[in-house]
Amino acid sequence: MEIIKKEFIFKEHNSEYECHASTLLKKGNRIICAWFEGTKEKSNDVKIKLSIYENGVFKEPKVISAKENTPHWNPVLFDLGDKIALYFKVGFEIKDWVTYISYSFDGGLNFTNPEILIEKDFSGGRGPVKNKPIRLNNGRILCPASTEQGKWLPFCDISDDNGESYKKINIPCENVGLIQPSFWQDKEGEIHALMRSNNGFIYRSDSSDFGKSWCLSYKTNMPNNNSGIDLVKLKDGRIILICNPVEGNWAARSPLSLYISDDNGDNFTKIYDLETVKGEFSYPSVINEKEKIYITYTYNRKNIVYCEIKI
C-alpha cells in the first residue's frame, strides 16, 4: 500500500474554532466530507460543516443546522442509493442526544432541512453514532450505535426498508463501557463489530443472524485509548483498521496507525503510522472503492486530514 495523497481539508482555518469527528462518502467522482465545528465541543455555536472534493480541491464548506444555540455532533454519511443520508446528533449533553437526518438527492450538492430521525425517542440517540452503516448481502442496513446515559451501551439499529424505520438491537457487554462500533460482514455472511472501550483494549462482538442477536462482547488483543476507531472490509476480504494503538483509559491520541487483518479480524498487523508526533490525531473515518482507501481524521482539533491510499 502507498499513500498517494495527504492534505488538509482547510487551507486556511479560523484558529478560534475547533473541528472534529469527520465522516466521508464517495459518490461518483465526488468525495463528500462532513464534521462538526465551532468555538469548542459542546459550545452553542457548534454546527455540522460539509465540503465536496472535486477536481483536486475541497470546496467552501456548507453549514448544516437543525437547531439554533444547541451543539451539533458526530455527522455520519451513508449512501442509500437514490439519495445520500447525513445523520448527526443534537444536544447539550451526550446523554440527551437526539438524532437528526438530512438527505441529498443531487449527489451531495444540496441537503434537505434536517428532521428528527425517530420522534419521541429520548434514549440518547438512534442510528449511527460515529461510524458508517453497512448494507448486508440481504439488503438490510445495520447502523453502528451506542448511548452514554450513565453506562456506555453499544447497539445496532436495523433497517429493512432502506432507512425508513429502525429497530434497536443491543450488543451485550458486562463490566466494561463500550461505544462507537464499526461493522463488517464476512464471506460467510456473519457480522462482526469492533468497539471503543474504557478498558484499554478494543472489544468485539459477532452475529450469525444478520444483526438480530449478538454474542457477549469480548476483549481483543488490540490496544485502545478510549478514542474512536473505524474499519473497512476490502473486496478480497481483508480488514483495514485505523486506530490509536495506545492502551489506557483516556490515553494519548497519538500515534494514529493503519492496520490490516487477513484472518477476518482475529489479528491485525501494522502497515504504517499516519501520525506519530505528540498531539491529537483521532476519530478516523475510512472507506474503500476499487483500488483505493480514503481516510479522514482530526488533526489537533484545528483541521481535518484527507488521505488517499493505493492498494
Side-chain angles (χ1 to χ4, degrees), residues 92-272:
F92 288 99
E93 300 294 337
I94 296 174
K95 65 181 179 63
D96 300 322
W97 276 351
V98 173
T99 303
Y100 281 74
I101 190 165
S102 179
Y103 298 106
S104 174
F105 295 90
D106 57 8
L109 297 176
N110 298 281
F111 280 82
T112 61
N113 291 329
E115 300 176 350
I116 293 176
L117 181 66
I118 299 176
E119 292 284 353
K120 298 181 180 179
D121 183 275
F122 305 105
S123 63
R126 297 288 298 276
V129 68
K130 172 197 173 291
N131 297 321
K132 57 195 173 295
I134 63 169
R135 190 182 294 274
L136 306 184
N137 58 16
N138 67 352
R140 170 175 287 173
I141 294 171
L142 287 191
C143 297
S146 58
T147 55
E148 301 178 45
Q149 295 184 320
K151 184 174 175 59
W152 289 9
L153 297 173
F155 66 96
C156 74
D157 247 329
I158 290 177
S159 178
D160 287 318
D161 52 12
N162 204 42
E164 295 299 315
S165 63
Y166 299 84
K167 181 180 180 180
K168 182 177 180 179
I169 303 293
N170 290 327
I171 299 176
C173 58
E174 293 180 357
N175 304 317
V176 62
L178 302 177
I179 56 173
Q180 299 173 354
S182 191
F183 295 154
W184 79 95
Q185 183 176 32
D186 67 27
K187 64 182 180 179
E188 306 300 330
E190 293 199 353
I191 318 302
H192 310 280
L194 294 185
M195 293 166 282
R196 168 182 174 178
S197 86
N198 62 5
N199 197 38
F201 288 86
I202 292 173
Y203 274 65
R204 175 170 169 165
S205 182
D206 310 295
S207 171
S208 58
D209 55 9
F210 298 96
K212 291 192 296 183
S213 65
W214 296 79
C215 74
L216 181 65
S217 302
Y218 55 97
K219 185 169 67 173
T220 73
N221 59 9
M222 282 297 297
N224 182 242
N225 58 339
N226 197 349
S227 185
I229 65 173
D230 197 16
L231 62 83
V232 68
K233 187 187 80 169
L234 304 181
K235 189 175 181 179
D236 62 12
R238 292 180 295 171
I239 310 299
I240 297 293
L241 170 67
I242 316 291
C243 64
N244 301 115
V246 181
E247 181 181 343
N249 191 21
W250 303 115
R253 293 184 171 186
S254 179
L256 182 69
S257 305
L258 184 152
Y259 285 78
I260 193 165
S261 171
D262 58 9
D263 58 5
N264 201 31
D266 290 337
N267 298 280
F268 285 90
T269 301
K270 184 164 73 172
I271 301 299
Y272 44 69

Side-chain angles (χ1 to χ4, degrees), residues 5-173:
K5 185 171 292 185
K6 184 179 180 183
E7 61 187 55
F8 290 127
I9 286 183
F10 317 126
K11 303 308 178 188
E12 296 181 7
H13 188 245
N14 188 337
S15 61
E16 296 179 358
Y17 280 3
E18 290 189 354
C19 56
H20 190 42
S22 60
T23 176
L24 77 166
L25 173 73
K26 192 170 189 296
K27 186 72 169 178
N29 292 324
R30 293 176 184 147
I31 297 287
I32 307 163
C33 183
W35 60 92
F36 71 73
E37 181 178 329
T39 303
K40 195 172 184 179
E41 184 175 315
K42 297 179 71 170
S43 295
N44 291 4
D45 63 352
V46 174
K47 304 298 183 193
I48 305 302
K49 293 283 190 76
L50 183 142
S51 179
I52 291 176
Y53 186 77
E54 271 188 314
N55 301 319
V57 295
F58 278 97
K59 296 182 178 180
E60 183 70 20
K62 299 178 180 180
V63 178
I64 296 177
S65 174
K67 199 172 183 180
E68 289 302 312
N69 300 314
T70 308
H72 291 46
W73 313 68
N74 293 18
V76 177
L77 289 160
F78 184 63
D79 191 351
L80 291 169
D82 60 337
K83 56 186 177 287
I84 294 170
L86 173 65
Y87 305 83
F88 57 91
K89 312 300 185 190
V90 177
F92 288 99
E93 300 294 337
I94 296 174
K95 65 181 179 63
D96 300 322
W97 276 351
V98 173
T99 303
Y100 281 74
I101 190 165
S102 179
Y103 298 106
S104 174
F105 295 90
D106 57 8
L109 297 176
N110 298 281
F111 280 82
T112 61
N113 291 329
E115 300 176 350
I116 293 176
L117 181 66
I118 299 176
E119 292 284 353
K120 298 181 180 179
D121 183 275
F122 305 105
S123 63
R126 297 288 298 276
V129 68
K130 172 197 173 291
N131 297 321
K132 57 195 173 295
I134 63 169
R135 190 182 294 274
L136 306 184
N137 58 16
N138 67 352
R140 170 175 287 173
I141 294 171
L142 287 191
C143 297
S146 58
T147 55
E148 301 178 45
Q149 295 184 320
K151 184 174 175 59
W152 289 9
L153 297 173
F155 66 96
C156 74
D157 247 329
I158 290 177
S159 178
D160 287 318
D161 52 12
N162 204 42
E164 295 299 315
S165 63
Y166 299 84
K167 181 180 180 180
K168 182 177 180 179
I169 303 293
N170 290 327
I171 299 176
C173 58

